[in-house]
Amino acid sequence: MAERKPLKPNKDGVVLLSGDNPQIAKGFGDEPVAAYIAAVPGWKQAICREVDALVVKTVPGVKKAVKWNTPLYGLDGETWFLSMHCFKTYVRLTFFKGTELKPMPAKDSKVAGVRYYDVTEEAGIDEKQFVAWVKQAVLLPGEKM
């Protein structure tokens, strides 16, 4: 088995994992999510900023956290309805109860109930649809993580 080389921080001191997903310490509140977004490179940063702004605007008092290098959004700080994660060619938005949303986000998951909305640079966010999903998602039980 080949030995893995240690990952080196970029010029801003952030390690970018596969897909340019920033390695951010676990934390709760706005600060770790803001640090994650600030560390996202290129066009994906604008997508992440837009997602965060739309969630904050749509869900007053939303709770935020970063776990497993992934921002999470919820209502009580213990259960979550949405996450985002960077991959090479898209930003994946995960709705933990996505199979209950109408219409369901297009991409299915091996995890029961989960659906994905993958946002590419070319397509951008369908703001109207995304906000509709967020409004539905907050009415469903959150996922404990």
Side-chain angles (χ1 to χ4, degrees):
M1 185 172 208
E3 188 175 321
R4 295 181 85 183
K5 288 197 282 186
L7 299 171
K8 293 185 180 173
N10 65 13
K11 63 178 176 49
D12 298 321
V14 176
V15 171
L16 295 176
L17 304 169
S18 64
D20 290 336
N21 195 59
Q23 185 177 45
I24 300 295
K26 177 182 175 182
F28 293 85
D30 291 330
E31 295 78 18
V33 174
Y36 175 93
I37 293 170
V40 171
W43 63 268
K44 290 177 261 189
Q45 187 178 91
I47 299 291
C48 293
R49 283 191 193 290
E50 186 176 1
V51 166
D52 187 70
L54 287 170
V55 172
V56 168
K57 181 180 173 184
T58 305
V59 187
V62 69
K63 304 293 186 219
K64 301 180 190 180
V66 171
K67 292 185 179 187
W68 310 284
N69 306 303
T70 302
L72 300 166
Y73 296 88
L75 296 175
D76 59 10
E78 293 182 17
T79 61
W80 311 98
F81 62 87
L82 175 71
S83 72
M84 70 178 152
H85 194 91
C86 290
F87 290 87
K88 274 291 184 216
T89 59
Y90 56 89
V91 175
R92 172 161 284 169
L93 305 177
T94 302
F95 287 95
F96 298 113
K97 303 288 184 185
T99 57
E100 297 182 45
L101 304 179
K102 303 288 185 241
M104 280 192 291
K107 189 142 189 180
D108 63 350
S109 169
K110 293 177 184 172
V111 179
V114 171
R115 296 294 286 197
Y116 302 124
Y117 174 38
D118 292 345
V119 182
T120 63
E121 181 178 19
E122 299 77 32
I125 296 175
D126 179 340
E127 183 177 325
K128 184 178 177 184
Q129 183 60 72
F130 177 69
V131 168
W133 283 329
V134 169
K135 286 178 178 179
Q136 293 175 61
V138 298
L139 300 176
L140 300 169
E143 188 69 28
K144 191 134 177 95
M145 303 178 110

